[in-house]
Amino acid sequence: MVVISYCVEYAESQKSVCLKCNKVIPNKSLRVGRMERTSEKEKKKFAKFRWYHFKCFEVPEILTKIPVHLIRGQVNLLDKDKLRLEKVIKLGVGSSWSQIVDQHKKKAQEEEEAAAAEALENGTPLPPKPTKDDLMDSDDESNVKDFTSQLTGEVDRKQERKNRKVNKLKAKTDGAKVAKKQPSGGAAGAKGKGAAGTKNNKDTKPMSAVAQAIAATRADSQKKMEQMKSKFGKK
């Protein structure tokens, strides 16, 4: 007796191969597994798995008879992937995400041809073709592209890395602004600066924002040390 059930999850490695297209399923990408066990009590880790890309997986009859939230692994998915899974199952037995993508592509092509024919008839300029950014910003109903990274959450991780770079750049810029407000040579250096000093500064290359910040910090530390020496020297 073989007990068949299904699970949906993000790939934990790049070792699984899609049973439908025979291509490797990328690490951390959304996949659907067909589990074959000898009994319902057998643990998942002992089951025999047959994996599919989410876009290649065709909905079996058993998944149309149970609530979507009861599918193993569904609770751990990102919200957008939960919606995609629910949408595919609602289409019924044999449906797949790949079919939905093809339908959107066909619809978009028909709309583009109709708009081009209308523009030609009216003598108006042809409407611009949708760019990749337009497709990325569109919702599921109008999205005609199927990016694996969008099904895995990799886009979110890329955005996080981008945000970290922006924050670092912002912190560096703020530090440079603070350094510009502080005198680079300290109070003593400001008093001793004359015409010759000004001329020499013009001849030398300007210091970078980071170097100015370091110089200001050193000058401030030196000033505090001199104040402490003077204070203890008087005693």
Side-chain angles (χ1 to χ4, degrees), residues 189-209:
K191 291 181 180 179
K193 186 192 297 184
T198 305
K199 185 176 180 180
N200 292 335
N201 289 338
K202 290 182 179 179
D203 295 337
T204 58
K205 295 182 179 180
M207 297 175 65
S208 64

Side-chain angles (χ1 to χ4, degrees), residues 141-159:
E141 291 297 332
S142 59
N143 193 352
V144 299
K145 305 204 76 170
D146 180 30
F147 297 99
T148 302
S149 57
Q150 292 183 10
L151 303 178
T152 65
E154 292 180 5
V155 171
D156 297 337
R157 286 189 289 275
K158 289 181 180 178
Q159 185 62 38

Side-chain angles (χ1 to χ4, degrees), residues 182-193 215-216 218-224 226-227:
Q182 296 178 350
S184 59
K191 291 181 180 179
K193 186 192 297 184
R218 289 178 177 175
D220 188 51
S221 299
Q222 185 176 0
K223 181 180 177 182
K224 290 182 180 179
E226 291 176 355
Q227 290 177 351

Side-chain angles (χ1 to χ4, degrees), residues 38-192:
T38 56
S39 68
E40 294 183 357
K41 294 182 179 181
E42 185 178 6
K43 293 184 179 180
K44 176 184 175 182
K45 62 180 180 179
F46 298 120
K48 182 178 180 180
F49 284 90
R50 299 181 184 275
W51 296 107
Y52 299 86
H53 289 108
F54 175 72
K55 63 180 181 179
C56 295
F57 177 70
E58 296 181 354
V59 178
E61 184 178 1
I62 187 175
L63 291 186
T64 62
K65 296 181 178 180
I66 61 175
V68 178
H69 68 273
L70 292 181
I71 298 176
R72 185 191 294 266
Q74 187 269 355
V75 68
N76 298 322
L77 300 182
L78 298 173
D79 289 341
K80 61 180 181 180
D81 291 335
K82 290 179 181 179
L83 293 175
R84 289 186 173 110
L85 178 63
E86 182 178 357
K87 183 175 181 179
V88 170
I89 293 177
K90 279 185 177 180
L91 292 178
V93 179
S95 60
S96 67
W97 184 254
S98 181
Q99 292 174 359
I100 294 175
V101 173
D102 291 340
Q103 290 175 2
H104 288 323
K105 284 183 179 180
K106 184 178 179 180
K107 181 180 178 181
Q109 185 176 1
E110 291 176 352
E111 291 177 352
E112 183 180 341
E113 291 175 353
E118 183 178 356
L120 184 62
E121 183 179 354
N122 298 332
T124 57
L126 294 176
K129 293 184 179 181
T131 63
K132 180 179 178 180
D133 293 334
D134 295 333
L135 296 173
M136 293 284 283
D137 294 336
S138 62
D139 57 16
D140 285 342
E141 291 297 332
S142 59
N143 193 352
V144 299
K145 305 204 76 170
D146 180 30
F147 297 99
T148 302
S149 57
Q150 292 183 10
L151 303 178
T152 65
E154 292 180 5
V155 171
D156 297 337
R157 286 189 289 275
K158 289 181 180 178
Q159 185 62 38
E160 288 177 1
R161 290 196 293 269
K162 183 178 179 181
N163 291 340
R164 285 198 294 268
K165 289 182 181 179
V166 172
N167 292 335
K168 286 182 180 179
L169 180 61
K170 184 178 179 182
K172 186 176 180 180
T173 304
D174 293 341
K177 290 181 180 179
V178 173
K180 288 181 180 178
K181 293 182 180 179
Q182 296 178 350
S184 59
K191 291 181 180 179

